[in-house]
Amino acid sequence: MTAAPAWTLLVVCAAVTASVPVQRNDPETQEHCGYESCPPIKDGMINVHLVPHTHDDVGWLKTVDQYFFGQNNIQKAGVQYILDTVVEELQHDPKKRFIYVETAFFWKWWNRQDDSHRHQVRKLVQQGRLEFIGGGWSMNDEAVTHYQSTIDQMTWGLRRLNDTFGKCGRPRVGWQIDPFGHSREMASIFAQMGYDGLFFGRLDYQDKMNRLSSKTAEMVWQASDNLGKDAELFTHALYNHYSPPPGFCFDVLCDDEPIIDDKHSPDYNVDNRVERFLAFVQNQTKRYVTKNIILTMGGDFTYQDAKMWYSNLDKMIRYVNLRQANGSNINLLYSTPSCYLKAVNDAKLSWTTKQDDFFPYASDSHAYWTGYYTSRPTIKYFERLGNNYLQVCKQLYALTDLGPEDQVDLNALREAMGVMQHHDAITGTEKQKVAFDYARILSRGIAECNIITNTAVNKLVPLRKEYPTPVWENCLKLNVSQCAPSEESKNFVVTVYNPLAQVISPYIRFPVTGSSYKVQDAKGNSLPTQLVPIPEPVQNIPGRMSQATQELVFRAVNLKPLGFQSYFVSQVKSEESNTYISDESNASGNFGHKTYYYTTNRRGVLKTLTTHGVKFQVAQAYGYYEGAVGDNEEAINRSSGAYIFRPKSSTPKIMPNRSQFKTFKGPLVSERHEVINDWLSQVVRIYTDEQHTEVEWLVGPLPIKDGVGKEVIVKYMSELSSKGKFYTDSNGRELLERTRNARPTWHLKLEEPVAGNYYPITSRILLRDTDKKLELAVLTDRAQGGSSLKDGELELMLHRRLLHDDAFGVGEALNETAFGKGLVARGKHYLVGGPSGNVLTVYERQLAQEKLLTPWLLFSRADKYSFESWSKTYRMEFDGVKMPLPANVHLLTLEPWKGRSLLVRLEHILEKGEDPKLSKSVTVSLKNLFAPFEIVSARETMLGANEWKKDSSRLQWKTESNSIDRHEDTHQGSLNHAEDILSVTLEPMQIRTFVVEVKYAGK
Ligand SMILES: [Zn+2]
């Protein structure tokens, strides 16, 4: 990215305005933006809002840069030309409108404009002629994204718009026209960010048919069971996806007939074209309730020659409206989604409501878009790792006062993560080359952040200024047990940073090559350690560059919130070490520890789990579906592919359990290493003092010599009587109830019994038995597809390797390879079970936070040091907060913001009624929360940090009286509009966002 010019601008903005959000009033242009700039509509007529737009994927068939510059002719698409020609056209005619959505591309273009062009664009924005809609860094996916990353990517996009265009750059409408289904959490996030409405294109074909025929394609989405009106959002399902009426695409990419209005021409077609257009309009009008309809005049990468569109639209508007003189009641106008929304709002009608979500998405009876919940599992994991590190990076930046000058380094990862959220990035629905480019972009962002973490930690650790600063290395491949500093150094330091605002005591592990070690904490105490062998299938993962055959495990006890603890690790003679070599056996018997253990049958297969004083049956099985193969010509011939999951048979092939396992036991951890077949193995792991099972699965390279694509699943089977119901998280936050073979708002006709019951699992899926009062949950380390296809059973899809394209555009089979072999994926499930109720629910919520923001390990080689010399030179402990936050409060955001201010988000992580104590409102003092600085003032913003909370006023929508009146739910806390809020009260599931001014100690 060419950050320099933009950065200069940012600094200037920050210096002038001191904080966010900017309320810029350009004295030169007194015109209005926003709703005030909307074109007039004609009362009594059908107003047809023509919305010129372009849908610019932040990578898909081409890389981000290839799309921007127009390189690589696989698809004729150059975003720079779109913005060039649109801006040119808008200047000629004040009536013309355009919306722009993907800010990642907009800034690439803006950075290349000279002052006079920037001035022109500013003017267009101030007058509402160029309007930003959506406004995130990308148009994020909604199924496999985590809410933290969605909030981040929206915030970053909105921030840049706010910096440059002030309040006229604030989008009012969510524009999710292409993502493959829609989450309730995303709607909730838009509402909390102050958006007035949401438009989208894709919903289940049956749902769409019903909604259009009952005129309920517009509704008020009540997007949270906890947040009341704050999470309500007017939602519009588009009539014709995001395309223009058939035959009316006036683009260089289309072949549709232009409007020929020369009456002397033999090709004169005005009457014919107008008739056809009006016929479409009349049909659409019947499906919506107000006298307004919206037509999306554009598509993928359209408007590279904007004149072609506008000159034809000019004619269409002219000739259609001319008919009004003869009694036509159709009025065409250039408009925007927000102007359409305002017109609909002005109709003052009552709207139906919706409480569930729009998953799964099916485009026909055999095309369930549930494959992408799992597609490219290693990219999905890498993205989650990126989020973990981005939060660590932001926090350390803020805690150590690195100042504004280094912010560009942080932006690289912020923006990389913004790109990753795109609906063809984390979804795995891009071409292979593009997937590699996403990995490149994310790697670069991580490398930039490594500079920040080094600088931050080294600002804290040397006890004297003149001492040399250590080099801190990340080990990003710990998931395949590879880490150069821990393997190559005899002495090294591992600094464990805790990004949570609670005290945790995690188990730490990394690969080593020695046979006995001493691990010393800051006080010099020698900690108990355990050596555990690395399973052979892991050692053999293609591309793994490691000689290590064992991992060293120890527990980092009482790791302070936002703090770190350094551990000095030295390879020593066995008599000096505290290392326990795991006991190896292949006998069956109990597995686990005193209060949490499995019994096994005679063959050693896990049989019952005892936890929290109850015992119940639980079993596990791996299997795979064969991907359906067809020519994609008809619905029934659809292939399983990157988007679509379509098994050939509803019954998966279950892998026989060959009972090939070894157990390794010791004081810290017990493990079962199981080999299921040549391409499937797992480690089942129970740490002492933990009440869950860690299942580390290893899948691949998936064999395809038989010419069959495979979609690998794991099932967890229990005795729970779940009565057709199961629960899945929405983007890692609230839980939604699912009913097998059913949808809450229409009668489902299901011809794909497996794929049509799959839902996105971003962090958790669970079952409840209300009679036995038992619960079984699986937490994931990345997004996966999942379901409960039988009572008592949970199923998750781990990996997919397919040999056919599903014909939704990618044009490639999802056949990932690495190092010349089928791609191997390794990941973790966390199995939590026991008596249902508050204890388990709270455990699951906290575990989910701990696994999302895991302690970050920074390694430094210390061969020239002993513990004594290191501890005399370097500080080994750091506390970021004075007091841990209460168990139900999560520090969602701590990051450097504008100038010297910081952005802080606090979140209540429990839903109403989940726990008698912790589900209540909770009050936190901001003032003395952080150790390195004091917060001197805090101003609350909307969730996107681009608008002060007190300034926010959203459009009001009436809901039909038969729905529950949720108005009384509005939070007292949210009504507190005091300028300075240092004491923050949070209601269940509430997130509150603050721009804080701080004073660092000693300054
Ligand atoms: Zn798209």
Side-chain angles (χ1 to χ4, degrees), residues 55 57 178 242 422-424:
H55 176 68
D57 288 310
D178 200 25
Y242 54 86
H422 166 57
H423 58 269
D424 293 306

